[in-house]
């Protein structure tokens, strides 16, 4: 393929400021730290994020973190990652304690989701709601997503 977006010499690296938003109304968030980095090679982007929430109030719906790029328009172009460091998630419901972010197609946001439960009965939710995350929470991880 000779398209410019698919060329391996299409290289970019940089930083961005991740921030939380929500599906219905955005919460008011104060951050201790917000840091994001990316490395784009061709149509793949490696993204790292670290967010420490000092306080979070108001808002409604599922939580998202902004992305520096729009994901692929194809269903298989989305991506996800399990955060390698999270803290203060005691407000999450039931036995589903494993948090991860996922990216759908044609979006500029990562959805915070939870999974877990017994090995034989893994449960998944559509997302983590604003009311399930409290101040002094921290999220960090790395993911790769496709742009085409």
């Amino acid at each position: 393929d000779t398209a410019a977006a698919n060329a391996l010499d299409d290289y970019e690296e940089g930083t961005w400021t991740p921030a939380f938003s929500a599906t219905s109304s955005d919460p008011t968030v104060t951050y201790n730290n917000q840091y994001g980095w990316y490395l784009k090679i061709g149509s793949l982007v490696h993204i790292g994020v670290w967010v420490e929430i000092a306080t979070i109030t108001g808002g409604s719906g599922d939580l998202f973190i902004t992305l520096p790029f729009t994901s692929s328009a194809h269903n298989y172009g989305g991506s996800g990652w399990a955060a390698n460091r999270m803290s203060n998630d005691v407000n999450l419901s039931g036995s589903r304690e494993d948090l991860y972010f996922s990216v759908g197609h044609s979006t500029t946001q990562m959805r915070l989701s939870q999974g877990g439960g017994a090995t034989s009965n893994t449960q998944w939710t559509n997302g983590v709601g604003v009311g399930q995350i409290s101040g002094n929470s921290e999220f960090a991880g790395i993911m790769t997503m496709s742009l085409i």
Side-chain angles (χ1 to χ4, degrees):
D1 192 345
T2 59
N6 298 332
L8 289 178
D9 63 355
D10 182 9
Y11 178 91
E12 180 181 343
E13 58 184 63
T15 61
W16 56 286
T17 303
F20 276 101
S21 63
T23 51
S24 297
S25 64
D26 291 343
T28 300
V29 182
T30 55
Y31 300 92
N32 287 328
N33 288 293
Q34 293 169 274
Y35 181 75
W37 62 265
Y38 65 86
L39 172 63
K40 179 181 178 289
I41 303 172
S43 63
L44 291 179
V45 181
H46 305 284
I47 296 172
V49 64
W50 173 37
V51 177
E52 285 183 87
I53 298 173
T55 62
I56 182 169
T57 57
S60 63
D62 292 343
L63 281 172
F64 291 87
I65 288 184
T66 57
L67 287 170
F69 295 95
T70 301
S71 64
S72 167
H74 302 288
N75 286 335
Y76 59 83
S79 180
W81 55 272
N84 61 20
R85 181 176 65 204
M86 293 194 164
S87 62
N88 199 26
D89 57 4
V90 295
N91 294 327
L92 296 175
S93 60
S95 60
R96 298 181 300 272
E97 301 170 347
D98 302 321
L99 294 178
Y100 62 94
F101 287 93
S102 61
V103 177
H105 59 90
S106 300
T107 186
T108 58
Q109 298 177 320
M110 298 185 291
R111 178 189 294 262
L112 178 58
S113 301
Q114 61 181 334
T119 304
S120 61
N121 187 28
T122 300
Q123 303 171 28
W124 300 95
T125 67
N126 288 331
V128 172
V130 173
Q132 293 178 280
I133 300 297
S134 59
N136 300 314
S137 295
E138 180 178 347
F139 307 91
I142 300 171
M143 65 170 279
T144 299
M145 70 179 207
S146 173
L147 301 179
I148 62 166

